[in-house]
């Protein structure tokens, strides 16, 4: 059964956010999954028109969740934010403001709490949010494609970008920037995605790029402050970040205060996990973890 996915807009202070929303056919919702896309993407990363059986929004709605995939500040309706409001600290303030307003927007469809599903740059944001005092109200976080450390090629490509000239990142070229960096082997994804056209791709705000570039230095300090459950997933064919069992083990060590950490290698995908044929399996894992977090919050707090 397909669920209606609608385009929505919300005002958070003076920032207008856009996104995609799916609700369960019969309420009340079990909770709200708030999905945060990565750098250079938009909300449609979680909901591709030609792969609706893998859509996080439709799968979540079918399982009784309200799912809101938001265009993060600096994307979609809020593209063009001044550079001094594009960084992750400002993004976190806006997203927390959105969370505070969700009961008024969604009513009974809001459900029993908010769970963050997040990818790459969005996952850095989600983990920073989880490390804050306000983050303790979250049900949990599913973080995929987190760059604890970049590959050598990606680090070099990012270091070569002049960060003092533009408000948006210019197209990057060379090793560490091609399709093989973000996708698995041929046959694991739809090759039409390599055109980077349509509703998914978007320019990257420069201030968030600087935060992303510096993330290997800054994120470890945040991870030790996260006090909600975390699912940490890496791709089998990850070529953007350093990956493998050692990276998973390091994430587990750094998340020392989280009440539960689930470490997972998602088979059959590259860095852009939700843009592969195995996205359905990945999204179902996210939703299963969200359900476990919901039950834990309901029964043990």
């Amino acid at each position: 059964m397909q669920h209606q996915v609608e385009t929505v807009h919300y005002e958070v202070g003076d920032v207008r956010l856009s996104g995609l929303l799916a609700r369960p056919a019969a309420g009340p919702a079990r909770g709200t999954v708030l999905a945060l896309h990565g750098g250079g993407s938009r909300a449609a990363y979680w909901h591709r028109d030609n792969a609706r059986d893998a859509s996080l929004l439709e799968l979540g709605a079918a399982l009784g969740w309200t799912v809101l995939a938001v265009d993060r500040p600096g994307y979609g309706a809020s593209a063009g934010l001044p550079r001094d409001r594009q960084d992750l600290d400002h993004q976190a303030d806006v997203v927390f403001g959105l969370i505070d307003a969700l009961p008024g927007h969604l009513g009974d469809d809001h459900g029993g709490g908010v769970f963050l599903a997040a990818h790459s740059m969005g996952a850095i944001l989600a983990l920073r949010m989880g490390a804050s005092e306000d983050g303790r109200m979250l049900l949990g976080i599913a973080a995929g494609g987190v760059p604890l450390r970049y590959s050598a090629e990606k680090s070099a490509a990012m270091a070569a970008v002049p960060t003092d000239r533009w408000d948006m990142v210019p197209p990057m070229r060379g090793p560490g920037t091609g399709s093989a960096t973000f996708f698995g082997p041929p046959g694991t994804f739809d090759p039409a995605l390599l055109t980077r056209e349509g509703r998914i791709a978007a320019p990257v705000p420069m201030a968030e790029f600087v935060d992303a570039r510096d993330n290997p230095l800054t994120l470890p300090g945040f991870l030790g402050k996260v006090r909600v459950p975390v699912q940490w997933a890496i791709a089998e064919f990850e070529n953007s970040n350093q990956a493998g069992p050692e990276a998973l083990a390091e994430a587990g060590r750094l998340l020392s205060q989280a009440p539960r950490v689930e470490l997972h290698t998602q088979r059959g995908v590259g860095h852009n996990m939700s843009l592969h044929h195995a996205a359905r399996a990945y999204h179902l894992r996210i939703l299963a973890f969200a359900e476990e977090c919901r039950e834990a919050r309901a029964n043990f707090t």
Side-chain angles (χ1 to χ4, degrees):
M1 175 182 177
Q2 291 188 338
H3 288 73
Q4 180 179 358
V5 176
E6 57 183 310
T7 299
V8 293
H9 293 86
Y10 302 115
E11 306 290 338
V12 181
D14 62 350
V15 178
R16 181 172 172 80
L17 296 178
S18 50
L20 300 172
L21 176 69
R23 306 171 189 251
R30 303 186 68 74
T32 299
V33 175
L34 180 58
L36 304 173
H37 61 81
S41 298
R42 287 192 57 185
Y45 170 85
W46 303 100
H47 174 72
R48 288 181 288 138
D49 286 339
N50 63 346
R52 295 188 65 175
D53 64 327
S55 163
L56 177 68
L57 283 87
E58 297 210 34
L59 287 170
L63 293 171
W65 291 79
T66 293
V67 186
L68 171 60
V70 66
D71 292 318
R72 290 190 289 106
Y75 292 86
S78 63
L81 275 178
R83 178 167 173 167
D84 62 0
R85 300 180 65 191
Q86 298 172 354
D87 61 274
L88 289 183
D89 287 340
H90 282 89
Q91 289 191 35
D93 288 343
V94 173
V95 176
F96 273 129
L98 173 63
I99 290 172
D100 288 343
L102 283 179
H105 290 303
L106 300 177
D108 287 344
D109 284 346
H110 176 53
V114 174
F115 179 91
L116 298 184
H119 176 250
S120 194
M121 190 71 217
I124 300 172
L125 172 60
L127 290 162
R128 284 188 172 208
M129 292 173 64
S132 70
E133 193 65 32
D134 289 341
R136 298 191 185 194
M137 48 79 75
L138 299 169
L139 292 176
I141 299 169
V146 182
L148 275 177
R149 279 186 291 276
Y150 295 105
S151 68
E153 294 81 5
K154 183 70 177 294
S155 292
M158 297 178 81
V161 174
T163 59
D164 57 351
R165 299 182 187 176
W166 306 286
D167 286 344
M168 308 300 286
V169 178
M172 297 170 64
R173 301 285 186 263
T177 65
S179 60
T181 303
F182 302 106
F183 289 90
T188 64
F189 63 94
D190 179 355
L193 291 167
L194 298 183
T195 63
R196 292 192 61 78
E197 296 175 353
R199 299 185 305 125
I200 296 176
V204 178
M206 185 62 77
E208 88 163 29
F209 172 83
V210 172
D211 281 340
R213 182 197 63 190
D214 297 342
N215 183 68
L217 300 175
T218 57
L219 186 62
F222 287 99
L223 294 182
K225 300 176 183 177
V226 175
R227 288 178 169 81
V228 295
V230 176
Q231 180 191 71
W232 187 290
I234 63 171
E236 178 182 11
F237 303 113
E238 176 65 75
N239 287 316
S240 177
N241 312 324
Q242 292 184 13
E246 297 82 4
L248 283 178
E250 182 178 5
R253 289 193 299 270
L254 290 170
L255 288 162
S256 57
Q257 300 301 310
R260 178 187 172 199
V261 179
E262 179 181 281
L263 305 172
H264 170 62
T265 297
Q266 181 57 53
R267 304 299 177 187
V269 300
H271 176 75
N272 286 336
M273 295 189 242
S274 296
L275 303 184
H276 287 72
H277 298 317
R280 180 181 177 89
Y282 170 53
H283 292 161
L284 286 170
R285 284 185 179 272
I286 290 175
L287 293 164
F289 189 74
E291 186 67 31
E292 291 169 354
C293 292
R294 176 187 180 276
E295 289 300 316
R297 178 70 61 89
N299 294 321
F300 298 107
T301 59

